[in-house]
Amino acid sequence: MHFSKTELQIIAELAKGNTSISAVAEALKKSEKHIYRIVQKLEEKDLASISAGKIIPKKSTLMVRLTRVLDSYPNLIPLLADSGILILISLLEAKTVDEITEEADVKKSTVYAFLKKTLKISLIKKDGDLYALNEKLWGDVADLLREIRDVERLLDPRVPYNSIIYYRDRGEVIYSNKYDSDSGEKTGFSVFEKEGIKILLPTTYYYYSEKELEKELTKEDIFRHALYVAEKEPSVRHFIFLALFYCKFEGELKDIKHDIVENLKLVLQGERVKGYPSFEEIKEKADMYGIEISCHRPAK
């Protein structure tokens, strides 16, 4: 979810109690027609509506957080506009410039320019090559960004309503839904059974891609999609099944680079990693499925 500068300015006016379209237009030095058009975009985001020439803000947690932040820090509006919120959401966890560029799906030059501005006001902090939101100074902004991220996880015009979204870019969406979806193809943990690893699931995982719906998923596609799920919903159970899949098809997955994969490799070598299953837990499940992991057995 991103906002134009004018959308944010209108929300800031609403925070002041200024709800008349004509009054907002005068305050922002815009035409009433232009304000009306922008408010329609806020309607599409389910943040406001129009009634009898007035803008009615929605009574939602997201709208409350937006109005509070914009009322308290109106100078943040240029930084939050356009790709700003997307970059800041990516910085809820520390990242390098390359990681920010990939997650926010923006140009590297845009990221550098943004970081330069935000470092000046300590909105962002830097530690070596890593950048992160400075939550100690900007806790209410962090709360707003998490609220937007939560809303984003539930909404995308390409997938059914009430889906949980684990990953998306311009080309594909990885999501889950408790009900059958005609718009996507099953993937991730939901197709592990086809590869000999049966899992009982309360939900179904899907992927959507206009370009690849006719393409048969590779082992790498399936594993990558399952990693997206485990990123958002880390659990020992997810990690065990990812380890089994990796061991069974290691030849096809050996080039995948991911923190979860690296941690699982350490576990399979006998090391203890916080939040991950033990080697013995993985071995017990592997024996049930007839999967050989002896090549990873820790040295005695």
Side-chain angles (χ1 to χ4, degrees), residues 170-299:
R170 293 174 184 173
E172 70 176 1
V173 187
I174 310 305
Y175 66 99
S176 70
N177 202 293
K178 291 183 179 180
Y179 309 101
D180 289 340
S181 171
D182 295 328
S183 60
E185 194 76 22
K186 288 183 181 180
T187 190
F189 294 111
S190 291
V191 292
F192 273 30
E193 183 174 357
K194 291 182 180 179
E195 308 299 339
I197 304 174
K198 186 175 182 180
I199 312 173
L200 293 176
L201 298 168
T203 188
T204 305
Y205 302 101
Y206 298 94
Y207 87 103
Y208 170 86
S209 170
E210 291 180 356
K211 294 181 179 179
E212 298 182 1
L213 276 178
E214 301 302 321
K215 167 193 163 185
E216 185 174 347
L217 288 171
T218 64
K219 302 290 191 303
E220 186 173 337
D221 291 329
I222 293 168
F223 188 69
R224 178 169 55 86
H225 296 165
L227 282 171
Y228 291 144
V229 174
E231 277 182 334
K232 300 290 186 184
E233 298 176 355
S235 70
V236 167
R237 186 169 184 265
H238 281 156
F239 294 149
I240 287 175
F241 284 109
L242 283 169
L244 298 185
F245 197 91
Y246 184 83
C247 288
K248 187 170 184 177
F249 303 108
E250 185 173 2
E252 296 171 68
L253 305 175
K254 60 184 179 182
D255 293 330
I256 290 182
K257 306 296 181 186
H258 194 284
D259 287 346
I260 291 176
V261 175
E262 296 309 310
N263 284 331
L264 287 175
K265 286 180 181 178
L266 293 175
V267 171
L268 290 167
Q269 291 165 12
E271 295 189 31
R272 291 282 185 176
V273 179
K274 185 178 180 181
Y276 283 73
S278 65
F279 175 85
E280 291 72 25
E281 288 175 290
I282 296 173
K283 179 69 166 59
E284 181 182 357
K285 191 68 74 171
D287 290 342
M288 291 174 57
Y289 288 96
I291 296 173
E292 179 60 53
I293 61 171
S294 59
C295 58
H296 294 282
R297 185 177 289 120

Side-chain angles (χ1 to χ4, degrees), residues 78-258:
L79 293 173
L80 296 174
D82 303 320
S83 60
I85 282 179
L86 299 178
I87 295 173
L88 287 171
I89 286 175
S90 76
L91 289 166
L92 285 168
E93 290 83 30
K95 288 182 177 64
T96 63
V97 169
D98 286 340
E99 290 170 334
I100 299 167
T101 301
E102 182 178 354
E103 183 166 323
D105 196 19
V106 295
K107 294 179 180 178
K108 191 174 288 189
S109 58
T110 301
V111 173
Y112 276 120
F114 184 84
L115 292 174
K116 184 178 180 180
K117 294 174 183 176
T118 50
L119 283 167
K120 283 183 179 179
I121 60 170
S122 297
L123 180 59
I124 299 300
K125 58 184 180 179
K126 185 174 187 267
D127 183 9
D129 293 332
L130 296 175
Y131 298 85
L133 185 72
N134 191 344
E135 294 197 38
K136 283 189 177 180
L137 294 180
W138 299 90
D140 41 2
V141 174
D143 290 340
L144 168 62
L145 296 171
R146 288 195 174 90
E147 186 71 28
I148 293 173
R149 185 175 63 180
D150 289 345
V151 170
E152 283 281 273
R153 288 189 67 187
L154 298 174
L155 298 175
D156 190 292
R158 296 172 290 181
V159 304
Y161 180 74
N162 203 29
S163 296
I164 296 176
I165 297 169
Y166 300 95
Y167 174 84
R168 74 175 120 202
D169 59 21
R170 293 174 184 173
E172 70 176 1
V173 187
I174 310 305
Y175 66 99
S176 70
N177 202 293
K178 291 183 179 180
Y179 309 101
D180 289 340
S181 171
D182 295 328
S183 60
E185 194 76 22
K186 288 183 181 180
T187 190
F189 294 111
S190 291
V191 292
F192 273 30
E193 183 174 357
K194 291 182 180 179
E195 308 299 339
I197 304 174
K198 186 175 182 180
I199 312 173
L200 293 176
L201 298 168
T203 188
T204 305
Y205 302 101
Y206 298 94
Y207 87 103
Y208 170 86
S209 170
E210 291 180 356
K211 294 181 179 179
E212 298 182 1
L213 276 178
E214 301 302 321
K215 167 193 163 185
E216 185 174 347
L217 288 171
T218 64
K219 302 290 191 303
E220 186 173 337
D221 291 329
I222 293 168
F223 188 69
R224 178 169 55 86
H225 296 165
L227 282 171
Y228 291 144
V229 174
E231 277 182 334
K232 300 290 186 184
E233 298 176 355
S235 70
V236 167
R237 186 169 184 265
H238 281 156
F239 294 149
I240 287 175
F241 284 109
L242 283 169
L244 298 185
F245 197 91
Y246 184 83
C247 288
K248 187 170 184 177
F249 303 108
E250 185 173 2
E252 296 171 68
L253 305 175
K254 60 184 179 182
D255 293 330
I256 290 182
K257 306 296 181 186
H258 194 284

